[in-house]
Amino acid sequence: AQSVTQPDIHITVSEGASLELRCNYSYGATPYLFWYVQSPGQGLQLLLKYFSGDTLVQGIKGFEAEFKRSQSSFNLRKPSVHWSDAAEYFCAVFTSGTYKYIFGTGTRLKVLA
Amino acid sequence: NAGVTQTPKFRVLKTGQSMTLLCAQDMNHEYMYWYRQDPGMGLRLIHYSVGEGTTAKGEVPDGYNVSRLKKQNFLLGLESAAPSQTSVYFCASSFQGSETQYFGPGTRLLVL
């Protein structure tokens, strides 16, 4: 069955520290993968997406993610976290046959000053 | 260009009451979606539409109905609200066959 797993429900990092949010997927075909961010009380904003090609993709706000087929992972990274990055982050896989997303359960990021 | 808008932003209902959530998009997208977001469960698809006059069930359709009478609007109805429908509802839209969806700001619904 198709699924997306975000194993970390909460993560706390200090401002200026590096960040990695984990995402694992289960999908039979080549996946289309996404990371969205949701600030408190806001909708979802697209951070980055992977369809094919270079496995390291760059997104907005200094985020990047690396697709590793062998590990079925699409982890999100940022070298230096800012206080404004505090939000909830969702990984999603797009199912091309049905044109629908499958979302992970989200990781809530807290940033310490 | 407002993108995807949702009305209302917040609503409180009593059990058994009905209401309609409105989603509007001005990007000429063919596909539209309704999701609900619950703590620890991410976003789950309720219903979706691939064009005007068409709708289909998603992952959690029970207790909801939808209509897509105009291309730019997608309505989500609750005929008899239940406390289990307390949630945040998000609408999204996309071009036909596109992998990228654009989300509205959400509607927070509380059913007492």
Side-chain angles (χ1 to χ4, degrees), chain B residues 62-84:
Chain B
D62 294 342
Y64 304 96
N65 57 75
V66 288
S67 64
R68 182 101 181 267
L69 298 180
K70 294 182 178 180
K71 185 177 183 179
Q72 63 268 34
N73 295 337
F74 194 28
L75 305 178
L76 178 70
L78 287 72
E79 291 185 347
S80 180
S84 61

Side-chain angles (χ1 to χ4, degrees), chain B:
Chain B
N1 189 340
V4 180
T5 58
Q6 293 183 232
T7 309
K9 289 184 171 54
F10 176 71
R11 183 78 182 268
V12 179
L13 289 180
K14 295 181 179 179
T15 297
Q17 286 184 319
S18 63
M19 78 162 294
T20 299
L21 282 66
L22 170 64
C23 175
Q25 52 92 7
D26 61 2
M27 296 175 282
N28 203 33
H29 287 168
E30 292 84 8
Y31 290 9
M32 297 186 74
Y33 310 80
W34 275 108
Y35 294 88
R36 60 176 290 172
Q37 182 184 29
D38 302 292
M41 304 193 74
L43 277 77
R44 294 179 292 168
L45 184 65
I46 304 172
H47 286 281
Y48 64 101
S49 167
V50 298
E52 184 177 324
T54 70
T55 63
K57 295 181 180 179
E59 185 184 356
V60 288
D62 294 342
Y64 304 96
N65 57 75
V66 288
S67 64
R68 182 101 181 267
L69 298 180
K70 294 182 178 180
K71 185 177 183 179
Q72 63 268 34
N73 295 337
F74 194 28
L75 305 178
L76 178 70
L78 287 72
E79 291 185 347
S80 180
S84 61
Q85 294 177 304
T86 293
S87 187
V88 181
Y89 292 86
F90 287 100
C91 177
S93 68
S94 70
F95 285 114
Q96 180 180 358
S98 172
E99 303 83 2
T100 303
Q101 296 182 12
Y102 296 84
F103 286 81
T107 293
R108 188 173 298 273
L109 177 65
L110 175 62
V111 183
L112 301 175

Side-chain angles (χ1 to χ4, degrees), chain A residues 20-24 35 64-68 71 73-77:
Chain A
E20 181 170 31
L21 302 183
R22 295 183 291 165
C23 173
N24 293 96
W35 275 100
E64 66 178 25
E66 186 171 13
F67 170 61
K68 293 185 177 180
Q71 298 178 17
S73 69
F74 189 55
N75 294 348
L76 182 71
R77 301 195 294 249

